[in-house]
Amino acid sequence: MRPSGRALDQLRDVKITRNFTKHAEGSVLVEVGDTKVICNASVENKVPPFLRGQGQGWVTAEYGMLPRSTGSRMIREAAKGKQGGRTVEISRLIGRSLRAAVDLEALGENSITIDCDVIQADGGTRCASITGACVALADAINSMIEAGTLKASPLKYMIAAVSVGVYEGQAILDLDYPEDSNAETDLNVIMADNGGFVEIQGTAEGEPFQPEELTAMLDLAKKGLAEITEIQKQSLAN
Amino acid sequence: MRPSGRALDQLRDVKITRNFTKHAEGSVLVEVGDTKVICNASVENKVPPFLRGQGQGWVTAEYGMLPRSTGSRMIREAAKGKQGGRTVEISRLIGRSLRAAVDLEALGENSITIDCDVIQADGGTRCASITGACVALADAINSMIEAGTLKASPLKYMIAAVSVGVYEGQAILDLDYPEDSNAETDLNVIMADNGGFVEIQGTAEGEPFQPEELTAMLDLAKKGLAEITEIQKQSLAN
Amino acid sequence: MRPSGRALDQLRDVKITRNFTKHAEGSVLVEVGDTKVICNASVENKVPPFLRGQGQGWVTAEYGMLPRSTGSRMIREAAKGKQGGRTVEISRLIGRSLRAAVDLEALGENSITIDCDVIQADGGTRCASITGACVALADAINSMIEAGTLKASPLKYMIAAVSVGVYEGQAILDLDYPEDSNAETDLNVIMADNGGFVEIQGTAEGEPFQPEELTAMLDLAKKGLAEITEIQKQSLAN
Amino acid sequence: MRPSGRALDQLRDVKITRNFTKHAEGSVLVEVGDTKVICNASVENKVPPFLRGQGQGWVTAEYGMLPRSTGSRMIREAAKGKQGGRTVEISRLIGRSLRAAVDLEALGENSITIDCDVIQADGGTRCASITGACVALADAINSMIEAGTLKASPLKYMIAAVSVGVYEGQAILDLDYPEDSNAETDLNVIMADNGGFVEIQGTAEGEPFQPEELTAMLDLAKKGLAEITEIQKQSLAN
Amino acid sequence: MRPSGRALDQLRDVKITRNFTKHAEGSVLVEVGDTKVICNASVENKVPPFLRGQGQGWVTAEYGMLPRSTGSRMIREAAKGKQGGRTVEISRLIGRSLRAAVDLEALGENSITIDCDVIQADGGTRCASITGACVALADAINSMIEAGTLKASPLKYMIAAVSVGVYEGQAILDLDYPEDSNAETDLNVIMADNGGFVEIQGTAEGEPFQPEELTAMLDLAKKGLAEITEIQKQSLAN
Amino acid sequence: MRPSGRALDQLRDVKITRNFTKHAEGSVLVEVGDTKVICNASVENKVPPFLRGQGQGWVTAEYGMLPRSTGSRMIREAAKGKQGGRTVEISRLIGRSLRAAVDLEALGENSITIDCDVIQADGGTRCASITGACVALADAINSMIEAGTLKASPLKYMIAAVSVGVYEGQAILDLDYPEDSNAETDLNVIMADNGGFVEIQGTAEGEPFQPEELTAMLDLAKKGLAEITEIQKQSLAN
């Protein structure tokens, strides 16, 4: 019934490759089906001006898409001289979500920036970015511990993200691009591995959605995120 | 217990003044406590390039804050040459929410742009903007009917927005600035008057929030939005 | 004979509302007929880089128009990423005029920025802005005296502005939009309450104007500005 | 008594070199003392979008300064990505003044853009620009007549500009940079050769200036502009 | 003797992976040692405005680096709102080189844009980009032939690029980052497979270089480019 | 045979006017045939942030064209808010070439910026800029020695630039615009007066060029640059 042929509660294959590039303190290629995102975490021993001298650190993120990561070529934002609204919105979402996972005071006056660059898009790029970014963040923090910059990890939770939606009246898990384009409702759910919500963002694409649809979608998200978090943890255990 | 002294489920005073300025097809001053936003709806007999020739209309929104609408002066975005990420994010939210209220095909090849300019901020400016914008939108549509541009109203629902949050462990309704600054969770809920959700956006400011907190917040939002929708309708009835 | 039906030397109604918004140190809504401008004065305990360490203060202004303050919607300058030439020119005029009213050394190393935001335009917005801004400036200075930042007021003069023009061969006072659009000459006059000129800017819209027309216009401006200054002073006396 | 040693009513040497560069339809190097400006007029057989199909032409101007035209190097505006407020203001003044000299309907659907680039600055660059630009404009119009694009000249007047000021209590003509930096009042006067004013812009740099000072300055401007206009005409006669 | 331990005339390992991403008409991952670049070629059935109606096509390129493709994180150009000079210069070089390989008239009114995005940098990114881009271009052209848009290939040559330099007085081939940082001279050579030069760009980093050094470097480049071209052709043959 | 009627190895007339404007520490008008460029060198007693405290100086350049320096008017880059790719590329080339001529450590913590502004273009503007800039640089350095800022000159070489090309199968020296527009190959050669190359940039405009063509062009360049260097030295000797 789904265009993808998957069961209503079935994730796409999720694959996490650590140490994908050699320079970043944490570097992850995350693949969720055909969606592929490079997540590079960079550590800097300084904080933004508004935090100077406050004894705490900062975690932020930037999101981008290669111009031909999509079906038709998009204008390169650097050439255009301006990031689009969607890009800005997603960058803020990723950064906010990751900050919820970290004890910023325990991080000390250090910054971690996670760059999420989509090299191939097939729906769910913001959720894949968060899932991959959290692993890159964990690696970057580990590198700080190894380097003696930190004594203990300030990472409070693993977080992961998945999209759920209502498609032809049914709640479905982890929408790919053809499903996302036709969904009536789209809900991005970011959860911590303690079972709490870090962020939820739901949008009625067609008609307003009802509370029971919200409940059904949140249940699917919970199931999917448990699986994704497991994959994150196995990846970090290797 | 709340800094504002209000009951947990008590809205601030909501006041809607129509025909606030003289040029716009719909012009509303919305006041939610000390938060004040001018919402001007402008009708244009054309659509953006990506919609040309498709027999449908467009509704969009732009949000801005006067530089001294806040406690300390912010840099004027026009002078800086760039809208901040928060501004872009809120503009997109307002536009998306209003489009959910309108049958774009029934609107014909016309555009309605709603400018929401905050002249005084005290928390909840994005929600107040949506609440006021929907009334301005209704007035703009009525002006199109009076002008003979439209025969029937393409407005499917009245929509309204309110923020709810968790403050010192309790769910509270309609956070003002001091409450918002200290809330553990912040959830913006936009509902249609048929009881469906148009958009929900929840963020854990501190610890991840639990499903039962989400339920409590959504219940408060539902109560508050029923009251706000009633105020919108009375305003339009005058 | 004037489109407005006013006598040649008759001002529109001028109304000044102080404390219009709650955050700014000086906040004025100035109404000149249907032209309405919010003038917010913000005090900061610092000066721009080029003045640091020179023992003097700074007064500057920024002007803007809400996108639908006018008959048809203008593109939002913040969204466009650039202030138009007219905006820049008027901002500079307001700032320069206000600086002429203030003893910058007596202001100490403090800055006052006056934001003039037009919420409804019907001609004469730059003059209304200056008239309102001077009252907001006076209030901001008074707040500094009350706060103990200043011992005495550095305000040397009250200044006010009005436009005069030549319309169908006659000099007229305080042009509204329909008059301004058809005037042969447009002259903005900013005077101090000692009877001196702070700034005059005259433009031949059609044919060059003759010295006797200039004299007639300046006489009208002098009369009008005496009335406006009186309204400013009464407003501040309340 | 003047820093320059000139009489109160004495202009600097004014020199106009036509055909200064080879590509432009009108190309003038204007020298007013040590102030040197290249004024190039470019003809294009089209009009800006807002004038299309209205059977009239357009005249506009752009002003710029070479980075080291001044005593210390200024940042190159093209590199900065933004024209300064002063640049925008002067560009608008030059364009507005030149349009007053031309019958835009008689120009047909053609545009003339005059670029005024200051290669050496010593005060009075905006006035020198206007004086030189009008000669370049005349040459460009003549080239259109020679090319058969126009049958008769749409140039209604020659216009010229000069600054006057009050320096140590005395009205003086044609201020150079040291005089301008210390003047109490600065007034730019643009006149047509029929004796009418095209634009006047006066600013009190120190104290407000009195009507009798205005009169004295305008008298000096009238004398100086008669001399400058004569130089323009002799230049065009060669 | 080289930091890399390679012989003076030894290339790094060059690896070309075609069909690296799924959307682009040509998609190549090129690896030259630790330098890795994604080259995506996008076909569009239109030409830039300056070529419309001239019966020819266009080939252009854009270059970018992921923020953490380098040893320390660079600011994201899209966020900065401006491409750096180096980025612009390299984009132009790649586009110019590729256009030399294509018969633009035979391409018809179609455009091919090649995006070269560096995911890991270790010296020679511009040369690797050209080498990879030419393979992606060949694939894109083949897709046009398969789609029936073109009947024959407009690709006149395969082109490839390599850097050569003078390091401690010796000419060396294919500099990696540590070598490049310490080279006395850096020369980028782009050749066609007919043995002609498409572009040469040589820069004295320290002292001016002598004609005999140029000759030695060009000889090395010729040898290296023969090997690289062979790898390109084998890749396309698979 | 050449459109210009010159011999294959014949330069255009080269004229160097020193002290062209009065403010800059070095100011040169360089004329190469009809190509005319103002080169102003500005000395500042500081270095860019990335060099602070390293005991060395900096030399950089900026290139620009007056909008009507060319046959048809180009958009003013300052008004457009962005420098074109060609402008950026040429600015970088000039700066890099001049740095090769200077011992930056001997310059001390001082910066010299050379602004090259083309007032009339007829081909070869980048080469003329470098030739003129080096003379302006020498003058600026001499002014620093006279002022006592430097004890000895850090100028290691005089550098000069010329373009050579292949036109109708023949190597030619110093291409003017009509020749450049039709050349098959264009090579810019920058040499020091010790006979070494500072920079070479060659581009195949049509077919790839062969090694023997490169040799022929380099021979012509060597001859032309010897003549240009002589003119530079005579100019500085006056």
Side-chain angles (χ1 to χ4, degrees), chain A residues 85-86 88-89 92 96 156-157 187 192 194-204 207-211 214 218, chain B residues 85-86 88-89 92 96 100 156-157 187 192 194-204 207-211 214 218:
Chain A
R86 180 181 169 278
V88 169
E89 191 175 295
R92 287 166 56 87
R96 211 160 55 220
K156 300 186 291 181
Y157 310 104
L187 177 72
N194 74 342
F197 296 112
V198 166
E199 183 107 12
I200 56 173
Q201 293 200 340
T203 301
E207 295 301 293
F209 56 97
Q210 297 301 322
L214 177 60
L218 291 174
Chain B
R86 181 182 169 277
V88 169
E89 189 175 297
R92 286 165 56 87
R96 211 160 54 221
K156 300 187 292 182
Y157 310 104
L187 177 71
N194 74 342
F197 296 112
V198 166
E199 182 108 12
I200 57 173
Q201 292 199 342
T203 301
E207 294 302 294
F209 57 98
Q210 297 301 321
L214 177 59
L218 289 174

Side-chain angles (χ1 to χ4, degrees), chain E residues 80-102:
Chain E
K80 198 180 180 179
K82 196 174 173 179
Q83 291 179 303
R86 181 182 168 278
T87 297
V88 169
E89 191 175 296
I90 295 176
S91 294
R92 287 166 56 88
L93 171 64
I94 302 172
R96 211 160 54 221
S97 298
L98 294 173
R99 280 192 293 281
V102 175

